[in-house]
Amino acid sequence: MRTRARGLGSLAVSIDGLTELWDRLFGVQPDPPPLLVLFTAALALLVVAARVPWRIARNAITIAHEGGHALVALLTGRKLRGIRLHSDTSGLTLSAGRPTGPGMVFTLLAGYIAPSLIGLAGAWLLSGNRITLLLWIAVALLLAMLVMIRNFFGIVSIVVTTAIVFGVSWFAPPEVQAAFAYTGVWFLLLGGVRPVGELQTLRWRGQQPESDADQLARLTRVPGLFWVGLFGLITVAALGAGAGLLAVPLVDGLTR
C-alpha cells in the first residue's frame, strides 16, 4: 500500500510539473510598458545603423538567412547537406536536388527574406503577449539548425546563441524576457532590410557575382535587380507590418 501511495504521489508531482511547464510555456505574459517598446526599437535601430555593433550582431541575421534557405530546401523536397556560418558574417547552405526548377528558386529566394519574416512571426506572437513561447520556439529552431552545422565557428555561434536565449527564457524575470524578446524581434525586422541594400552595393561594384539574386537571374532569366527589389519589398513590408503589431502596447498606453 505504501508503494502504491508513493507511486501515486510521484505521478501527481509529475503531472503538476507538466502542468506548470505548460502554463509557463503557453501562458500569456503581462503587457509590456509602452516605453519598453520604444526603447527596444531605438536600441535595435542603433545596433543596425552603427558599424561595429552591426558587424557583431549581424551573425544573428546570417543564422536566420541560412536557416531560411535550409527550411525551404527541406520543404521543397531537396536534401540538405549542411550549413556553414563564417566569422565574417557570411554563410553557406548546401542542398542536393535538381539544379533548376521551383524548388531551387524558392530555396534561393528564402534567404534574404527569412530574417524579416521570422521577425514578423515573432511580432505576431508578441502582440498576443506570448513572450516565453517565442523564446522557446527560437531555442527549438536553433537546436534543429545545430544538427546541420558543418564548421566549428558555426557550432560555437549556434550554441552560444541558444544558451543566451534559453537562459533568458528560463531564469530571467518577465520584464527582462520582454525586453530581450522585443529587442530581438525589432532587430530581425530592421536588420532584415539592411543586407538587401548591402547586396545591391556589392553587386554594383561587381564583388558578389554569385549572390542569391544573380543565381536567381540565371535560373529564371529575370534580371538580378528585380530579385533585389523583391527582397527589398518583402523586407520593408514585413518591417511595416511587424512594427504595427509591436506598437499595440504603445497605442494602448497612449489611449488610456
Side-chain angles (χ1 to χ4, degrees), residues 157-171:
S157 295
I158 296 294
V159 169
V160 170
T161 305
T162 305
I164 293 171
V165 178
F166 176 76
V168 171
S169 70
W170 191 259
F171 299 107

Side-chain angles (χ1 to χ4, degrees), residues 34-60:
L35 282 179
L36 182 142
V37 179
L38 287 175
F39 176 78
T40 54
L43 178 61
L45 181 60
L46 177 64
V47 172
V48 172
R51 185 172 63 89
V52 175
W54 171 247
R55 288 189 63 183
I56 299 171
R58 197 185 193 282
N59 283 292

Side-chain angles (χ1 to χ4, degrees), residues 71-104:
L71 177 60
V72 175
L74 292 173
L75 291 176
T76 56
R78 300 181 62 80
K79 186 173 182 180
L80 190 60
R81 295 294 191 187
I83 303 170
R84 291 178 176 270
L85 304 172
H86 303 132
S87 58
D88 63 354
T89 72
S90 65
L92 178 66
T93 299
L94 297 174
S95 62
R98 287 185 58 193
T100 59
M104 191 64 195

